[in-house]
Amino acid sequence: MRPLRVLVVEDDPDDVILMTLELRRGGFEPEVYRVESLEELREALEAREWDILLSDYLLPGFTASEVLKAVQETGLDIPFIVLSGSVGEQYGVEMMRAGARDYFPKDRITRLPVAVTRELAEAEARRARRRADTERTLLVQVGEVLSAPLDFEQWMARLVRLPVPAVADCCAIFLDEGEHGLRLAALAHQEPEAQRLGLEQRARLSPEASLGPAHVLRTGVPELLSEASERKDSLGEDPAHVRLLRTLHLRSVLYVALYGHHGALGVLALGTTGQRRLGSEDVSLAQELSRRVSLVLENARLFQEMQEAVRLRDEFLTVAAHELRTPLTTLQLQLGTLAHRARRESAAPDFAERLDRCQRQVRRLGSLVEGLLDVSRLASGQMVLQPERVDLTELVSEVVDRHAAEAQGARCPVRFEGKPGLLGQWDRLRVDQAVSSLLSNALKFGSGQPVEVTVSGVGPMARVEVRDRGIGIPPEQLERIFERFERAVSSRSYGGLGLGLYLARRAAEAHGGHVWAEARPGGGATFTLELPRESAEVHA
């Protein structure tokens, strides 16, 4: 016999007895509850769940149309069948158009078991479709959270809101804190006051409890408490758990463990209140949800750790660069004094040449230190530009002259072309650094080949192009080489920190311009710097 919860709207008890007998003949074990008024109907709908609703058409003071409307107002999907002893077929057609599932006269009550069986199956199919749609939408939303640029706490707060109220009335995440137990880290509840009170508790659950989140975390097996109040003796082992359930007014609870690549992360909890209850069909959804939530939480933690690592690195770069500046400055002054004395006292050419090489290397080291400082300033948003009126052709010419010794050492003849008078409002130091980075890059990777540097005006932009015939750049690396500490070749073969092109692009973008690279046919590369010629207030 199949259990069946039947709500009957009927003023004749004898008709109810006939309905009950027919349902039993049809293989059901009906639990029948009769109401005679709309008020009693609403109370019964609120008090518990029903599998089927049967109603006479004409009742004292109201009709089945009003019964149907009252049911529809609740939003419940309960199959509604109208049985009438005196009303014609046209009324039955109207009722079915309004939402009733079936209609037939009471003298054909033998049809009742077949109609109920059919409507129960269709109701289950509708629920399954709605559930599948809800689950699909929920899992997609979890994936969207994964791609959102949030911090760890924001990720958790969004995750627990997703299942409420579509899947459950309450959702919580407990995080594993080792010997300190599980801590309530995030909570969403359809009742704002219950959510507030639950979060105020910030429950920390005992790691030794034999039931609930701690037990699920230890075993990895989902735990469903369809009627949490019936397990009060076992729940009593953990007073914090009991207090939380009471605060949240939870009737049923489902716990599923959250696991990452390195072990347990915590527990996901779904709960319901009132007449709503979780069942075995909810376990598979909760497990799939826990897998995706675990992925989000693990990525959130990795993102948090990465941010902390970047912060520590930037702090180290700032401190290291400042610490290196003082001895470098002293060394530059000492070498300058020695070079001046060597020229004054006509020292041996070999000695003067060695001093010159030492000075170049110290200047190179100073440039690397300044690059590290610039990176740390950019990371903290502290690099402010100081624009002034600059002749770009004159500035680039100075950069080319300054790199003459480097070009000679690299056996790269540098050809410069540009007309004077290409003016703009730029930060001279930053533009000088950007052009120096492009030229040094060309001399480093184009060793033994000519390098061409041209300055021109292209509409409202001023353009500097540096062309080399060196090793070239793979197409997939053309953008990556402008990132911090990135390069297209091994640092063992070519020195440097991989900061020059990054700083050049940041300086150009701060001016409202751009830097890009292109591979040249036959080998080599062209690096282009464009800056707006109009005056503008600029900052990094």
Side-chain angles (χ1 to χ4, degrees), residues 396 400 412-417 438-439 442-443 449-455 464-469 520 525-527:
V396 175
V400 172
C412 290
V414 179
R415 301 168 185 166
F416 173 67
E417 181 182 345
L438 300 186
L439 183 53
L443 296 175
Q449 300 292 330
V451 172
E452 301 170 3
V453 181
T454 61
V455 181
V464 179
E465 291 179 296
V466 180
R467 305 181 189 88
D468 66 66
R469 294 181 174 82
R520 297 185 66 186
T526 298
F527 285 82

Side-chain angles (χ1 to χ4, degrees), residues 2 28 31 54 105 121 147 149 155 199-200 245 263-264 269 275 290 293 357 361 372 374 399 433 452 468 510:
R2 179 180 177 183
F28 293 101
E31 177 188 347
L54 308 177
S147 62
W155 255 317
L199 287 173
E200 282 182 356
L245 293 179
Q275 295 304 313
S290 73
V293 169
R357 284 203 298 268
Q361 291 302 317
L372 290 176
D374 283 344
V399 172
Q433 287 178 330
E452 301 170 3
D468 66 66

Side-chain angles (χ1 to χ4, degrees), residues 182 207 209-225 254-259 264 266-268:
L182 283 164
S210 61
L211 192 68
H215 183 253
V216 169
L217 188 67
R218 288 198 308 273
T219 63
V221 179
E223 188 173 277
L224 173 63
L225 306 179
L254 174 59
Y255 299 111
V256 185
L258 300 170
Y259 281 98
V267 172
L268 174 72

Side-chain angles (χ1 to χ4, degrees), residues 194-456:
Q195 177 175 312
R196 183 185 66 80
L197 293 173
L199 287 173
E200 282 182 356
Q201 288 186 23
R202 285 293 176 184
R204 192 178 296 275
L205 308 185
S206 168
E208 304 301 327
S210 61
L211 192 68
H215 183 253
V216 169
L217 188 67
R218 288 198 308 273
T219 63
V221 179
E223 188 173 277
L224 173 63
L225 306 179
S226 295
E227 292 289 347
S229 60
E230 296 177 1
R231 306 294 298 275
K232 60 184 178 181
D233 293 338
S234 300
L235 292 172
E237 297 177 5
D238 188 351
H241 189 194
V242 175
R243 284 196 303 272
L244 184 62
L245 293 179
R246 288 174 178 169
T247 300
L248 302 177
H249 314 299
L250 298 183
R251 174 185 180 180
S252 64
V253 192
L254 174 59
Y255 299 111
V256 185
L258 300 170
Y259 281 98
H261 292 300
H262 302 293
L265 298 172
V267 172
L268 174 72
L270 298 175
T272 59
T273 63
Q275 295 304 313
R276 194 175 185 183
R277 185 169 55 183
L278 295 169
S280 57
E281 68 276 6
D282 296 293
V283 176
S284 59
L285 169 62
Q287 288 178 310
E288 179 60 31
L289 184 60
S290 73
R291 282 191 285 271
R292 303 199 183 199
V293 169
S294 296
L295 179 61
V296 175
L297 291 181
E298 192 160 51
N299 281 350
R301 280 187 168 175
L302 290 174
F303 181 69
Q304 193 175 43
E305 291 172 3
M306 181 196 70
Q307 285 183 313
E308 179 64 14
V310 169
R311 185 187 66 80
L312 292 173
R313 184 198 65 188
D314 289 339
E315 285 183 2
F316 169 77
L317 291 177
T318 302
V319 172
H322 278 290
E323 289 298 320
L324 288 170
R325 254 181 161 184
T326 301
L328 275 176
T329 301
T330 302
L331 186 56
Q332 284 175 324
L333 290 173
Q334 294 296 327
L335 286 173
T337 301
L338 287 174
H340 177 72
R341 180 178 296 178
R343 287 192 298 270
R344 187 181 63 192
E345 298 178 1
S346 302
D350 180 62
F351 180 71
E353 183 181 344
R354 289 184 180 184
L355 276 177
D356 186 54
R357 284 203 298 268
C358 287
Q359 285 184 302
R360 287 203 301 270
Q361 291 302 317
V362 170
R363 283 196 296 270
R364 180 171 179 271
L365 187 55
S367 297
L368 294 176
V369 171
E370 290 300 322
L372 290 176
L373 273 176
D374 283 344
V375 168
S376 62
R377 290 184 187 123
L378 284 169
S380 60
Q382 295 176 353
M383 184 181 288
V384 178
L385 301 185
Q386 297 178 345
E388 59 181 283
R389 192 168 180 78
V390 175
D391 185 323
L392 185 61
T393 305
E394 178 186 317
L395 185 151
V396 175
S397 177
E398 292 175 3
V399 172
V400 172
D401 290 342
R402 196 166 63 243
H403 285 74
E406 184 180 345
Q408 184 178 1
R411 296 175 290 107
C412 290
V414 179
R415 301 168 185 166
F416 173 67
E417 181 182 345
K419 294 182 179 180
L422 192 58
L423 303 175
Q425 289 288 119
W426 303 305
D427 185 312
R428 173 179 287 274
L429 175 61
R430 297 305 172 192
V431 175
D432 185 298
Q433 287 178 330
V435 176
S436 294
S437 294
L438 300 186
L439 183 53
S440 293
N441 187 76
L443 296 175
K444 181 190 299 183
F445 296 106
S447 181
Q449 300 292 330
V451 172
E452 301 170 3
V453 181
T454 61
V455 181
S456 60

Side-chain angles (χ1 to χ4, degrees), residues 151-166:
D151 63 26
F152 188 70
E153 296 297 328
Q154 289 174 319
W155 255 317
M156 286 197 300
R158 281 192 60 178
L159 285 172
V160 293
R161 285 198 297 268
L162 295 180
V164 180

